[in-house]
Amino acid sequence: EEDNGEKKKKKKLKPLLSKLVDVKPNFVYYLGTSFGLTQGLFAFWKKNGYKPLYLKLTPNDITGEHSCIMIKPIKEGNVSTIADIVDDDDDKMKIKWVKPFIVDFKHRLASLLAFEFKSFPIKLAVSLLEPKLTTTTAQEKEEDEEVVSHSTMTRKEIELFITKDDFKRMSKYAKNLSNNSNVIDLIPTLAKLFYNKKINIELSYTQAAILLGIGLQYKSFDDIKDELNIQLNQILAMFNKMIKKFCSNIKGIYEKEIEREEEEERKKKKVKLNTDEEMMKKSEGKMLLDMKEELKEEAKKVKDKEKSERKKYMEKKLKEMDNNLNKKRKREEDDE
C-alpha cells in the first residue's frame, strides 16, 4: 500500500523537461546586440531597426573599437512574426519607455564627440546622432531661400546661448559682410542646439556633417575637406547658407515673441478701455444720483424758504389785523 502511495505522488510531479511548444514564452521587451562599432556594422543593425543606447568611452585594447549596445523594442505581446517588431521610424515609435534612453544617449554623445570620440569619422557620428535632414545631397544645388522652421525655444531661452550681439555677428556673416572667423566661436553652441533638437531647422547631409565636424568635434575646414572629399570653397559656401538658416530661425523666434507681446498688449489695452468705459458708466450713474440728491436738497431749501416767508407774511397780516381791530375798538370807546 505504501508503495502504491509513493507511485501516486510521483505521478503528480511535474516533468523535468517539457516540449517547447507546450511552454508559454516569457514576455520579451526588446532584442539586443553588442559589437565593436564600425560604420558597416552600425549601418547593418540600424537598417534592421536597432537603436543605439550605449557606447563605451574607452576603445578595446585588441581591436581598437568602441563597444556599442543597440536594442530593438518589441510591441506589446510576444514576438511571433516580423510584424511584432516596432518600426524603426521615430514618428512611428510606439514604445514609450525607450525614447528617454535614446534622447539621453544622443545628448551625451553630442558633448563627448569633442573628447573621447573626436577621432570618429564624421559620417559615423552623423549616423549615430540621426539629425533631421533634407533630401538635398552634396552634389545637388542648395536652395537660397530662407526657411523659418518651428523651434521649441523661446526668445529668453535663445538669449541664454545666443546674445543679441552674437546674432548681429551671425547676420553680418550671413550677408557676406564679414568672414567665418567672426562666427566660428558660435558653431559649438549652434551644433548642440541643432543636434539636441532645440532649433529644428532642416540641413542637408553635407551641412549637418560640416556643422558636426566644426561644432562638435572641433575639426578645421581643411580636415573636413579631406575627410568629406569636397572642395574648400564648396564647404565655405554651404557653411554660409547654413548660418543663414540659423539666422532665419532665430529671427522667426524673435518675431513670434514680439507679435505675442503686442497681442497681449492689445488685449490689456482692450481690457483697460472696457474697464474705463465701465468706470465712466458707474461714475455717470453716481453723478446723476448726486445731481438728483442736490436738486432734492435745493428744492427742499426753496420749499422751506417759501414756507418760512409765507409764515412771516401771515404773521405780519395777523398782526396788522390785530392792530386794526384794536384801533377800531379804541375809537368806539372814545365815541361813547
Side-chain angles (χ1 to χ4, degrees), residues 31 69 122 273 304:
L31 302 177
I69 295 176
I122 292 175
L273 286 171
D304 291 342

Side-chain angles (χ1 to χ4, degrees), residues 80-118:
S80 58
T81 65
I82 196 69
D84 292 327
I85 306 298
V86 172
D87 196 300
D88 62 338
D89 188 352
D90 286 337
D91 295 332
K92 298 178 182 178
M93 182 71 74
K94 295 179 182 178
I95 307 299
K96 295 180 180 179
W97 65 264
V98 77
K99 283 189 177 181
F101 294 100
I102 295 171
V103 171
D104 182 65
F105 169 77
K106 291 180 180 179
H107 177 75
R108 292 190 65 225
L109 181 62
S111 298
L112 291 172
L113 282 172
F115 299 96
E116 282 78 2
F117 305 137
K118 188 173 183 178

Side-chain angles (χ1 to χ4, degrees), residues 68-84:
C68 179
I69 295 176
M70 299 179 74
I71 68 167
K72 188 170 192 175
I74 308 301
K75 284 184 180 178
E76 296 298 329
N78 295 305
V79 179
S80 58
T81 65
I82 196 69
D84 292 327

